[in-house]
Protein backbone atom coordinates (compact mmCIF):
# COMPACT_ATOMS: atom_id res chain seq x y z
CA UNK A 1 0.00 0.00 0.00
CA UNK A 2 1.35 3.41 -0.97
CA UNK A 3 0.47 6.44 1.12
CA UNK A 4 -0.01 9.65 -0.80
CA UNK A 5 0.13 13.16 0.57
CA UNK A 6 -3.02 15.32 0.50
CA UNK A 7 -3.94 16.14 -3.06
CA UNK A 8 -2.64 12.76 -4.27
CA UNK A 9 0.99 13.88 -4.54
CA UNK A 10 3.71 11.27 -4.45
CA UNK A 11 5.42 10.83 -1.05
CA UNK A 12 8.76 11.57 -2.77
CA UNK A 13 7.79 15.02 -4.03
CA UNK A 14 9.98 17.54 -2.15
CA UNK A 15 7.74 19.55 0.16
CA UNK A 16 8.39 21.80 3.10
CA UNK A 17 6.46 21.39 6.33
CA UNK A 18 4.27 24.16 4.94
CA UNK A 19 3.60 22.29 1.68
CA UNK A 20 5.72 24.78 -0.30
CA UNK A 21 7.88 23.36 -3.11
CA UNK A 22 11.14 24.67 -4.62
CA UNK A 23 11.03 25.60 -8.32
CA UNK A 24 13.57 24.27 -10.81
CA UNK A 25 14.57 27.89 -11.54
CA UNK A 26 15.88 28.18 -7.95
CA UNK A 27 18.10 25.14 -8.38
CA UNK A 28 19.31 26.21 -11.83
CA UNK A 29 20.19 29.73 -10.66
CA UNK A 30 21.96 28.29 -7.62
CA UNK A 31 24.13 26.09 -9.85
CA UNK A 32 24.92 29.11 -12.06
CA UNK A 33 26.19 30.94 -8.97
CA UNK A 34 27.98 28.01 -7.33
CA UNK A 35 29.66 26.36 -10.32
CA UNK A 36 29.65 28.85 -13.17
CA UNK A 37 30.06 32.07 -11.12
CA UNK A 38 27.59 33.79 -13.49
CA UNK A 39 25.83 35.83 -10.79
CA UNK A 40 26.70 37.32 -7.39
CA UNK A 41 23.36 36.65 -5.71
CA UNK A 42 19.73 35.63 -6.07
CA UNK A 43 16.64 36.64 -4.12
CA UNK A 44 13.84 34.08 -3.74
CA UNK A 45 10.20 34.57 -2.74
CA UNK A 46 7.21 32.32 -2.13
CA UNK A 47 4.73 32.59 -4.99
CA UNK A 48 1.04 32.20 -4.04
CA UNK A 49 1.99 30.40 -0.79
CA UNK A 50 2.84 27.34 -2.94
CA UNK A 51 6.30 27.57 -4.51
CA UNK A 52 9.67 29.17 -3.82
CA UNK A 53 10.75 30.97 -6.98
CA UNK A 54 13.44 33.39 -8.24
CA UNK A 55 12.62 37.08 -7.86
CA UNK A 56 15.89 38.90 -8.59
CA UNK A 57 19.32 37.86 -9.85
CA UNK A 58 22.33 40.07 -9.13
CA UNK A 59 25.09 40.60 -11.71
CA UNK A 60 28.48 39.10 -10.85
CA UNK A 61 29.95 42.57 -10.16
CA UNK A 62 27.06 43.57 -7.82
CA UNK A 63 27.86 44.84 -4.33
CA UNK A 64 26.40 43.61 -1.03
CA UNK A 65 24.37 46.83 -0.63
CA UNK A 66 22.48 46.01 -3.84
CA UNK A 67 21.71 42.54 -2.45
CA UNK A 68 20.24 44.07 0.72
CA UNK A 69 18.21 46.51 -1.37
CA UNK A 70 16.76 43.70 -3.51
CA UNK A 71 16.06 41.62 -0.39
CA UNK A 72 13.84 44.44 0.90
CA UNK A 73 12.32 45.39 -2.46
CA UNK A 74 9.00 43.72 -1.60
CA UNK A 75 8.33 46.23 1.17
CA UNK A 76 8.57 46.46 4.95
CA UNK A 77 6.10 43.63 5.61
CA UNK A 78 7.61 41.15 3.14
CA UNK A 79 9.90 38.20 3.84
CA UNK A 80 12.44 36.87 1.35
CA UNK A 81 15.30 34.40 1.03
CA UNK A 82 18.63 35.46 -0.39
CA UNK A 83 21.69 33.54 -1.54
CA UNK A 84 24.96 35.46 -1.83
CA UNK A 85 28.45 34.42 -3.01
CA UNK A 86 30.48 36.30 -0.39
CA UNK A 87 34.18 37.05 -0.96
CA UNK A 88 36.68 38.19 1.63
CA UNK A 89 40.34 37.85 2.51
CA UNK A 90 41.49 35.54 5.29
CA UNK A 91 44.88 35.43 6.97
CA UNK A 92 45.84 32.21 8.72
CA UNK A 93 47.62 32.57 12.06
CA UNK A 94 51.39 32.40 11.81
CA UNK A 95 51.54 33.40 8.15
CA UNK A 96 51.97 36.70 6.40
CA UNK A 97 49.94 35.65 3.39
CA UNK A 98 46.27 36.49 3.02
CA UNK A 99 44.09 34.24 0.93
CA UNK A 100 40.89 35.07 -0.88
CA UNK A 101 37.87 33.14 0.41
CA UNK A 102 34.43 32.63 -1.09
CA UNK A 103 31.45 31.31 0.82
CA UNK A 104 27.88 30.84 -0.24
CA UNK A 105 25.37 31.79 2.41
CA UNK A 106 21.60 31.54 2.45
CA UNK A 107 19.68 34.19 4.33
CA UNK A 108 16.13 34.10 5.59
CA UNK A 109 14.95 37.72 5.74
CA UNK A 110 11.83 38.05 7.91
CA UNK A 111 11.58 41.60 9.27
CA UNK A 112 9.80 42.22 12.57
CA UNK A 113 7.25 44.28 10.60
CA UNK A 114 6.06 41.23 8.59
CA UNK A 115 2.75 39.61 9.50
CA UNK A 116 2.93 36.52 11.70
CA UNK A 117 1.36 34.27 9.05
CA UNK A 118 3.99 35.32 6.49
CA UNK A 119 6.85 34.80 8.97
CA UNK A 120 5.52 31.33 9.80
CA UNK A 121 5.24 30.41 6.11
CA UNK A 122 8.81 31.53 5.37
CA UNK A 123 10.34 29.91 8.45
CA UNK A 124 8.56 26.58 7.86
CA UNK A 125 9.59 26.57 4.17
CA UNK A 126 13.27 27.50 4.76
CA UNK A 127 14.30 23.89 5.32
CA UNK A 128 13.03 22.77 1.90
CA UNK A 129 15.12 25.49 0.23
CA UNK A 130 18.21 24.59 2.29
CA UNK A 131 17.89 20.91 1.33
CA UNK A 132 17.55 21.67 -2.37
CA UNK A 133 20.61 23.97 -2.47
CA UNK A 134 23.35 21.49 -1.61
CA UNK A 135 26.68 23.12 -0.77
CA UNK A 136 25.57 26.28 1.03
CA UNK A 137 28.20 26.91 3.72
CA UNK A 138 26.13 29.00 6.14
CA UNK A 139 22.49 29.80 6.82
CA UNK A 140 21.66 33.12 8.44
CA UNK A 141 18.34 34.30 9.82
CA UNK A 142 17.87 38.06 9.90
CA UNK A 143 15.00 40.17 11.21
CA UNK A 144 16.59 43.60 10.81
CA UNK A 145 19.44 45.32 8.98
CA UNK A 146 21.88 44.95 11.89
CA UNK A 147 21.65 41.14 11.52
CA UNK A 148 21.83 41.32 7.71
CA UNK A 149 24.64 43.88 7.48
CA UNK A 150 27.81 43.03 5.61
CA UNK A 151 29.81 43.26 8.85
CA UNK A 152 27.49 40.88 10.76
CA UNK A 153 27.48 38.36 7.89
CA UNK A 154 31.25 38.49 7.46
CA UNK A 155 31.70 37.91 11.19
CA UNK A 156 29.48 34.81 11.03
CA UNK A 157 31.31 33.48 7.97
CA UNK A 158 34.76 34.11 9.47
CA UNK A 159 33.71 32.18 12.60
CA UNK A 160 33.65 29.04 10.42
CA UNK A 161 37.24 29.60 9.15
CA UNK A 162 40.19 27.64 10.49
CA UNK A 163 42.59 29.80 12.44
Amino acid sequence: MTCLRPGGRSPYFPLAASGVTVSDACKTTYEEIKKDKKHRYVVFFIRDEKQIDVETIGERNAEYDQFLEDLQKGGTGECRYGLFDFEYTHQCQGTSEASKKQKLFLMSWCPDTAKVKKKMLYSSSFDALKKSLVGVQKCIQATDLSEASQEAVEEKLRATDRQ
Side-chain angles (χ1 to χ4, degrees):
M1 182 174 125
T2 303
C3 295
L4 297 177
R5 292 204 164 122
R9 289 189 299 261
S10 159
Y12 302 105
F13 196 76
L15 287 177
S18 61
V20 172
T21 60
V22 180
S23 75
D24 288 339
C26 293
K27 297 169 197 166
T28 302
T29 307
Y30 171 68
E31 291 300 322
E32 289 174 350
I33 291 172
K34 181 183 172 191
K35 290 184 177 150
D36 306 335
K37 304 291 182 197
K38 277 187 181 177
H39 319 291
R40 175 65 60 199
Y41 65 87
V42 60
V43 175
F44 306 107
F45 74 112
I46 299 178
R47 182 186 306 279
D48 304 323
E49 297 184 8
K50 292 184 179 135
Q51 188 173 54
I52 300 171
D53 209 351
V54 172
E55 182 176 56
T56 309
I57 297 174
E59 297 291 323
R60 190 67 197 165
N61 61 356
E63 297 291 326
Y64 190 79
D65 291 341
Q66 184 63 49
F67 168 69
L68 286 180
E69 211 174 282
D70 285 342
L71 207 55
Q72 301 170 75
K73 199 164 53 177
T76 56
E78 291 297 319
C79 300
R80 292 291 186 268
Y81 304 119
L83 176 90
F84 193 92
D85 189 3
F86 198 87
E87 295 179 350
Y88 61 98
T89 55
H90 173 72
Q91 188 167 343
C92 291
Q93 280 183 324
T95 66
S96 59
E97 291 181 28
S99 61
K100 190 175 173 184
K101 288 245 183 183
Q102 283 186 298
K103 288 191 179 176
L104 288 169
F105 74 84
L106 183 62
M107 181 180 287
S108 173
W109 169 256
C110 286
D112 293 328
T113 52
K115 290 190 167 102
V116 173
K117 183 181 177 190
K118 187 150 301 228
K119 286 195 245 186
M120 287 175 62
L121 177 66
Y122 271 78
S123 63
S124 63
S125 304
F126 193 47
D127 208 41
L129 185 61
K130 283 193 286 192
K131 286 179 181 169
S132 68
L133 306 181
V134 178
V136 170
Q137 284 108 337
K138 185 78 177 161
C139 292
I140 297 170
Q141 295 189 345
T143 58
D144 62 37
L145 286 175
S146 69
E147 295 172 333
S149 73
Q150 186 168 352
E151 295 76 23
V153 168
E154 188 170 338
E155 185 178 318
K156 288 174 184 162
L157 294 177
R158 283 185 184 278
T160 64
D161 286 341
R162 290 192 184 129
Q163 297 303 316

